[in-house]
Amino acid sequence: MAAVTETLDTVQSVTQSGYKWGFETTIEMDFAPKGLNEDIIRLISARKEEPEWMLEWRLKAYAAWLTMTEPRWARVDHPPIDYQDLHYYAAPKKKAGPKSLDEVDPELLKMYEKLGIPLKERAILAGVDPDTVENTQIAVDAVFDSVSVATTFQATLRKAGVIFCPISEAVREHPELVKQYLGTVVPTADNFFAALNSAVFTDGSFVYIPKGVRCPMELSTYFRINARNTGQFERTLIIAAEGAHVSYLEGCTAPQRDENQLHAAVVELVALDDATIKYSTVQNWYPGDANGKGGIYNFVTKRGACRGARSKISWTQVETGSAITWKYPSCVLLGEDSVGEFYSVAVTNNHQQADTGTKMIHVGKGSRSTIISKGISAGHSNNTYRGLVKMLPSASNARNHTQCDSLLIGDQSGAHTVPYIESRNLTAKVEHEATTSKIADDQLFYCRQRGLSEEDAVGLIVNGFCKDVLKELPMEFAVEAQKLLAVSLEGSVG
Amino acid sequence: MSTGATGFLERYEAAVGRLPGDSALRAAAAAAFKVAGLPGGTPRARPVEAWKYTSLRPVAEATFQASPKHEAETLLSGLTLLDAPRLVFVDGVLRADLSDASPTMTTVGHSATVAPLLTGGSFTAGVQIARFADQPDFGTLTWPDREPMVALNTMLASDGATLDVPAGVDGGIVQLVSLSGGQGDFHPRHSIRLGKGARLTVVEISAGQGVYLLNTVAEIHVAAGAHLTHIRLQDEAATAFHVSTTYADVVAGGTYDSFTLNLGGRLSRTEVHTQLSGPGATAHLNAAQILAGSQHADFTTVVSHTAPSCGSRQTVKNVLAGRSRGVFQGKIEVARHAQKTDGYQMNQALLLSPYAEVDSKPELEIFADDVKCSHGATVGELDAEQMFYLRSRGIPDADAKSILVRAFLAEALDAVADETIRGLLETAVEQWWERQKA
């Protein structure tokens, strides 16, 4: 009973229309000139005070990018992107570099407040003693455009031996780790957008969990796109050493505006023997207005390598934002008995386009993977699941189970499923199921009869449809995700 | 003779003007083929998504060889056929002397060449048969600009069967037998039209000897309330290449019920495009592929639901031994106004060897909201529990395996409703098993 009330409250609390996180902070920006060439890359590298090897790595990626063409196979449609018409470097102007939170620009702190950064960390950002909130700690490495501005909980993490810092800092402070792992999961020339990212990435997070350590708190980074005409190119690298365990949360909202913005992030995960990485995303970037004007282009390469025996990588994503989503969080299951998971909810409304899914590449003996994908299309949107399950000859006794369901709301949207199944091992087992349907009239009738408005009823049914995925999210995110689903589907019925 | 795409184009250039049918259509097809070439035919060929898992490089590089002891009569006598009328094509050309039409079949058009088929009797009802030159709707359903092998057929086709069943008539069974063994490539072109409420069963059987390419295209129209059962038994020579592309258009209340059994060929590709363009139309595209050695067989389907309240059902099973590779690509498309669509697709693969490979791509493309579409796929080896059950009852390992594989296949063949035809297919499967033992 309580749960139902809570859900209703949740649905009610978000019925105000529009994109409530659409605001823009005014902070002086430090721009590099528009365009992309070797000089810009040198400038980025210099601004980041990077060592020579990092610059060379970037230039190599740039050279590869020049020979590549934008992929056209996804079911997304957009006007050509002029890569020379973007700023590739923008940094909030800093006075001396914040050494403590007091020095952080108050505009930024206000922005976190508006963002509704959950629970205690806002208080912590405001200066509350960390010891009083020990049990529900979530460390925040807030990414404000391209530079990480504030990092909390460093002391607690340092005590545990965990490294959690902006990647540019890791390049300077932990070059041996970065050199060893960067680009080994997603090579610089992996695909067009990954190559672009490798050449120009300006920030992102670096996480290293040493052997046997269970990260003492959830790690959470808020990505935010703020500057006009600035492509955002984060690079995230997470390494869990033998027996380590980490849960990483990524949440996104962006200011409302008309111009399309390009976002091409790369996330690399490495799990060694017995390590576990759980990576959760709630993506709610500006999707464009009801007529399909504006919105973020989100071209992301996310991949995890289960290198060790019994290692596990779990992706959970709730994708409600962006005009275009092009994203396939994948697992390369190299280790014996390694585990890969992909739980996804993708909601598209109005003129949004999502082409998302996963790849599970089974190499190791006894490796297992689970794919649960829920796609919801409303308005004039198109929502595609695209996935690959591949069993290599070495993957004896490997298992995969895939379930992908699509829900259509309204008769102007499209739902598509494109799974690829390739098996070269007779002892490997693959099971795939997919369904497409609309919200059943009897379900709707049942809810309406009990006094729910049509919109609330849809929200409720959609939440039920996505339950299998939402329950995989950490609790705080699950609540936010439920709200997002309802907001995203506003105006899709009636 | 030149092989590969160039060789085909040279042959077309030489034959231009002498081929029957719409010459503009042929010229357009040749232009399309010149651009596309054989899918995967050269190392530099641009990858084509529709041919992701099948490359025709072996076709491009093959030297076609006539079988030294090739004799159509011998091949024919070795086949198990139904006791029903048959049209026999040898190296893609109709051989009246080997064919056997029933009294109820009539001929139209080039009656002089088809007449010898008739064994006499009344011609008032039944199937009208004609040769390719009389196909009234040559190329009306095909997309040579999208499918290179259809372009190739369109540019070179010179013979084939045209079967017409008038409204309300039950045409019974007609067998289309293809025997190949000559040197080269053959491009039969069939057209099948069923009038309102008509019924027909077409059984296509192909076999041969030597190294050749059989590249068949069939265009099928099923009128309102008509019912076409289309059985394909592909048992080509182990060194041969087999490509078959079927386009079927089914209107209101019509049914296209097809079953494909692929047993032979070094490389085969069976492609079926079905359009359900009238309310209440139904399509069944079932198939089984049983492969061994280094065989490669690709079963690809596209079902387009373009009218409301249509249904489609597909069950495709692969049994893969040796170093064989089985491919299934199935796409269900539902157009914006095709509400109340009911689409279902099941794909199962059984791997019997550590070197076999299966690739499966079941695809849904849906633009209507009030639909029920689903697909399922499973890949794996024989169920360990079932094996244990049989083994614990004293059945030797090899026999237990054989029982389970047969059960798996029997389920696939269940889709064939006609007992006689199912019997024919079961015999073919049995012979395949015997060949593997030998």
Side-chain angles (χ1 to χ4, degrees):
Chain A
M1 187 58 218
V4 174
T5 320
E6 197 181 337
T7 309
L8 288 180
D9 288 347
T10 306
V11 171
Q12 247 149 29
S13 73
V14 291
T15 43
Q16 76 268 38
S17 61
Y19 184 78
K20 75 173 178 183
W21 295 288
F23 56 86
E24 201 176 318
T25 42
T26 46
I27 294 180
E28 277 182 85
M29 301 297 293
D30 174 12
F31 287 113
K34 273 187 180 179
L36 181 56
N37 52 49
E38 288 201 1
D39 290 341
I40 293 284
I41 294 167
R42 284 175 204 283
L43 173 91
I44 292 169
S45 192
R47 286 289 174 94
K48 293 281 166 194
E49 294 158 35
E50 287 176 354
E52 186 63 23
W53 62 266
M54 196 62 230
L55 174 64
E56 272 164 28
W57 194 84
R58 287 176 181 275
L59 291 173
K60 217 175 90 192
Y62 177 67
W65 181 73
L66 287 176
T67 67
M68 300 168 96
T69 50
E70 221 178 280
R72 306 300 303 173
W73 42 261
R75 183 182 283 280
V76 293
D77 194 31
H78 56 81
I81 298 167
D82 184 352
Y83 293 93
Q84 295 304 333
D85 193 37
L86 295 166
H87 291 283
Y88 286 87
Y89 183 76
K93 247 189 183 165
K94 44 182 173 178
K95 288 143 203 161
K99 291 197 177 59
S100 72
L101 286 171
D102 297 341
E103 289 177 32
V104 169
D105 195 328
E107 281 277 335
L108 277 182
L109 292 176
K110 241 187 265 171
M111 182 169 166
Y112 300 139
E113 223 172 290
K114 277 197 252 178
L115 263 172
I117 288 179
L119 308 176
K120 314 285 194 241
E121 64 263 38
R122 210 189 311 170
I124 290 160
L125 283 167
V128 176
D129 181 13
D131 294 336
T132 60
V133 286
E134 200 71 31
N135 293 328
T136 48
Q137 283 169 344
I138 297 176
V140 179
D141 170 19
V143 174
F144 179 71
D145 258 44
S146 310
V147 174
S148 290
V149 199
T151 305
T152 53
F153 291 115
Q154 283 295 358
T156 319
L157 291 172
R158 210 172 296 129
K159 217 189 311 171
V162 172
I163 305 170
F164 178 36
C165 66
I167 195 145
S168 47
E169 190 183 314
V171 169
R172 292 190 301 268
E173 309 291 326
H174 309 282
E176 70 298 337
L177 284 173
V178 176
K179 255 187 192 170
Q180 189 182 347
Y181 292 105
L182 188 71
T184 61
V185 183
V186 179
T188 48
D190 186 77
N191 67 67
F192 182 83
F193 296 110
L196 179 64
N197 174 288
S198 302
V200 303
F201 74 86
T202 44
D203 226 316
S205 300
F206 175 82
V207 179
Y208 181 82
I209 316 287
K211 200 167 170 175
V213 171
R214 195 178 173 92
C215 188
M217 65 189 75
E218 305 257 8
L219 300 180
S220 159
T221 299
Y222 278 78
F223 295 96
R224 226 173 133 69
I225 296 174
N226 192 271
R228 234 169 244 280
N229 286 330
T230 305
Q232 228 6 102
F233 303 96
E234 284 99 348
R235 185 96 192 183
T236 299
L237 176 59
I238 300 177
I239 303 139
E242 290 83 354
H245 184 286
V246 62
S247 169
Y248 188 92
L249 297 77
E250 170 198 30
C252 316
T253 56
Q256 179 163 8
R257 61 163 59 100
D258 278 341
E259 289 149 76
N260 291 310
Q261 286 191 311
L262 176 68
H263 186 94
V266 171
V267 175
E268 295 179 281
L269 310 182
V270 178
L272 303 182
D273 285 358
D274 299 296
T276 299
I277 302 175
K278 184 174 172 61
Y279 194 106
S280 312
T281 306
V282 173
Q283 187 265 108
N284 182 31
W285 281 325
Y286 180 53
D289 67 12
N291 298 313
K293 193 165 182 285
I296 305 292
Y297 291 181
N298 190 20
F299 297 98
V300 182
T301 306
K302 289 184 168 177
R303 196 176 302 152
C306 284
R307 297 215 174 131
R310 298 165 303 279
S311 56
K312 176 177 173 181
I313 289 178
S314 178
W315 299 99
T316 306
Q317 61 173 23
V318 175
E319 302 280 325
T320 60
S322 294
I324 293 176
T325 302
W326 181 101
K327 180 180 174 188
Y328 314 91
S330 303
C331 295
V332 184
L333 303 165
L334 296 159
E336 237 173 78
D337 298 317
S338 56
V339 176
E341 291 175 341
F342 175 74
Y343 300 99
S344 167
V345 168
V347 183
T348 54
N349 196 357
N350 298 321
H351 290 268
Q352 280 178 277
Q353 307 171 65
D355 195 304
T356 185
T358 184
K359 286 182 179 184
M360 293 290 173
I361 315 287
H362 290 255
V363 184
K365 276 183 197 154
S367 51
R368 302 191 306 277
S369 63
T370 304
I371 299 171
I372 295 183
S373 164
K374 307 279 179 179
I376 298 149
S377 347
H380 291 82
S381 68
N382 272 302
N383 199 327
T384 305
Y385 168 82
R386 191 182 299 278
L388 168 70
V389 174
K390 188 169 192 158
M391 300 290 183
L392 288 160
S394 53
S396 296
N397 295 311
R399 292 281 178 278
N400 163 266
H401 178 75
T402 301
Q403 173 78 48
C404 47
D405 298 319
S406 302
L407 193 65
L408 287 143
I409 300 175
D411 57 5
Q412 296 300 310
S413 56
H416 318 293
T417 314
V418 193
Y420 296 78
I421 301 161
E422 302 174 9
S423 176
R424 295 170 64 192
N425 188 302
L426 84 159
T427 61
K429 269 202 163 55
V430 184
E431 291 167 349
H432 175 100
E433 282 179 86
T435 65
T436 302
S437 54
K438 67 165 192 170
I439 292 178
D441 290 340
D442 55 343
Q443 290 175 338
L444 215 49
F445 177 76
Y446 183 90
C447 296
R448 299 279 285 122
Q449 193 202 24
R450 273 151 186 78
L452 291 181
S453 74
E454 193 168 359
E455 206 154 72
D456 291 351
V458 168
L460 197 63
I461 294 166
V462 165
N463 268 322
F465 176 75
C466 301
K467 188 184 65 193
D468 289 345
V469 174
L470 298 180
K471 73 177 165 54
E472 295 296 327
L473 284 172
M475 202 269 285
E476 300 87 344
F477 269 47
V479 172
E480 192 180 339
Q482 281 193 14
K483 289 183 189 176
L484 280 178
L485 290 185
V487 171
S488 305
L489 290 170
E490 266 172 26
S492 63
V493 289
Chain B
M1 92 189 233
S2 321
T3 52
T6 328
F8 294 126
L9 285 162
E10 281 169 8
R11 287 245 312 290
Y12 168 71
E13 297 298 338
V16 154
R18 288 185 286 116
L19 293 162
D22 185 344
S23 58
L25 188 72
R26 288 187 188 267
F33 183 72
K34 197 169 182 175
V35 174
L38 289 169
T42 62
R44 294 177 311 282
R46 239 180 102 244
V48 182
E49 181 63 20
W51 291 81
K52 184 179 171 64
Y53 295 115
T54 299
S55 158
L56 293 186
R57 181 91 47 88
V59 175
E61 289 170 357
T63 311
F64 297 133
Q65 287 168 349
S67 164
K69 50 173 185 173
H70 171 50
E71 252 185 48
E73 288 80 358
T74 326
L75 274 173
L76 188 61
S77 65
L79 286 185
T80 310
L81 293 175
L82 296 168
D83 183 18
R86 63 170 188 247
L87 301 179
V88 177
F89 292 81
V90 176
D91 293 346
V93 178
L94 182 70
R95 278 275 294 272
D97 58 317
L98 300 177
S99 301
D100 180 12
S102 80
T104 58
M105 293 173 110
T106 60
T107 65
V108 292
H110 289 223
S111 47
T113 49
V114 188
L117 300 181
L118 303 166
T119 52
S122 135
F123 303 147
T124 50
V127 186
Q128 297 180 339
I129 54 174
R131 296 183 73 165
F132 169 76
D134 302 300
Q135 275 180 18
D137 47 8
F138 177 38
T140 51
L141 293 179
T142 58
W143 296 94
D145 52 334
R146 289 190 206 164
E147 280 105 27
M149 295 310 282
V150 173
L152 177 60
N153 176 288
T154 305
M155 125 197 163
L156 291 173
S158 61
D159 207 351
T162 301
L163 304 177
D164 253 290
V165 188
V169 169
D170 185 346
I173 297 177
V174 174
Q175 299 176 94
L176 297 177
V177 181
S178 163
L179 304 171
S180 308
Q183 179 175 358
D185 49 289
F186 317 114
H187 309 272
R189 183 88 177 200
H190 303 310
S191 162
I192 302 169
R193 305 175 68 91
L194 269 66
K196 273 187 187 168
R199 294 182 77 85
L200 182 69
T201 297
V202 172
V203 180
E204 270 188 76
I205 297 172
S206 53
Q209 274 179 339
V211 181
Y212 56 88
L213 164 69
L214 183 72
N215 176 35
T216 311
V217 171
E219 291 180 78
I220 295 172
H221 291 269
V222 179
H227 189 119
L228 175 68
T229 304
H230 189 181
I231 309 288
R232 256 182 240 99
L233 167 54
Q234 184 271 104
D235 201 3
E236 303 281 7
T239 43
F241 306 102
H242 175 103
V243 179
S244 160
T245 314
T246 303
Y247 296 86
D249 181 52
V250 188
V251 301
T255 301
Y256 175 63
D257 181 359
S258 90
F259 185 88
T260 302
L261 178 60
N262 280 327
L263 298 173
R266 170 180 167 195
L267 187 156
S268 74
R269 158 99 163 188
T270 313
E271 199 171 319
V272 186
H273 298 256
T274 306
Q275 174 161 282
L276 300 173
S277 55
T282 304
H284 297 162
L285 308 177
N286 300 314
Q289 305 194 119
I290 311 171
L291 309 173
S294 54
Q295 282 184 289
H296 177 118
D298 175 339
F299 186 70
T300 293
T301 65
V302 179
V303 181
S304 295
H305 288 260
T306 58
S309 307
C310 293
S312 63
R313 289 279 175 279
Q314 297 179 63
T315 301
V316 176
K317 297 205 177 199
N318 277 305
V319 174
L320 307 167
R323 293 181 175 274
S324 66
R325 186 171 177 195
V327 177
F328 169 65
Q329 305 184 101
K331 187 173 185 183
I332 300 177
E333 299 173 345
V334 179
R336 186 73 73 209
H337 51 276
Q339 298 291 359
K340 307 279 177 201
T341 286
D342 183 356
Y344 173 77
Q345 196 181 63
M346 186 64 193
N347 170 226
Q348 291 175 309
L350 196 55
L351 299 179
L352 298 180
S353 137
Y355 309 109
E357 172 171 354
V358 63
D359 301 300
S360 175
K361 184 186 170 196
E363 196 176 341
L364 299 173
E365 185 185 289
I366 294 165
F367 287 103
D369 64 333
D370 191 5
V371 300
K372 259 189 359 203
C373 283
S374 60
H375 65 221
T378 63
V379 172
E381 60 179 340
L382 289 169
D383 190 272
E385 269 181 47
Q386 293 174 358
M387 274 300 282
F388 178 77
Y389 182 91
L390 294 174
R391 296 283 283 116
S392 67
R393 274 148 188 79
I395 298 169
D397 192 72
D399 293 359
K401 270 188 187 153
S402 161
I403 288 170
L404 291 177
V405 173
R406 277 156 207 260
F408 179 80
L409 285 171
E411 222 180 323
L413 292 176
D414 274 350
V416 181
D418 186 299
E419 273 180 39
T420 329
I421 297 173
R422 197 167 62 236
L424 176 81
L425 299 178
E426 280 165 0
T427 310
V429 172
E430 277 311 310
Q431 285 168 351
W432 186 90
W433 280 116
E434 292 306 316
R435 286 208 301 267
Q436 300 315 307
K437 279 184 206 162

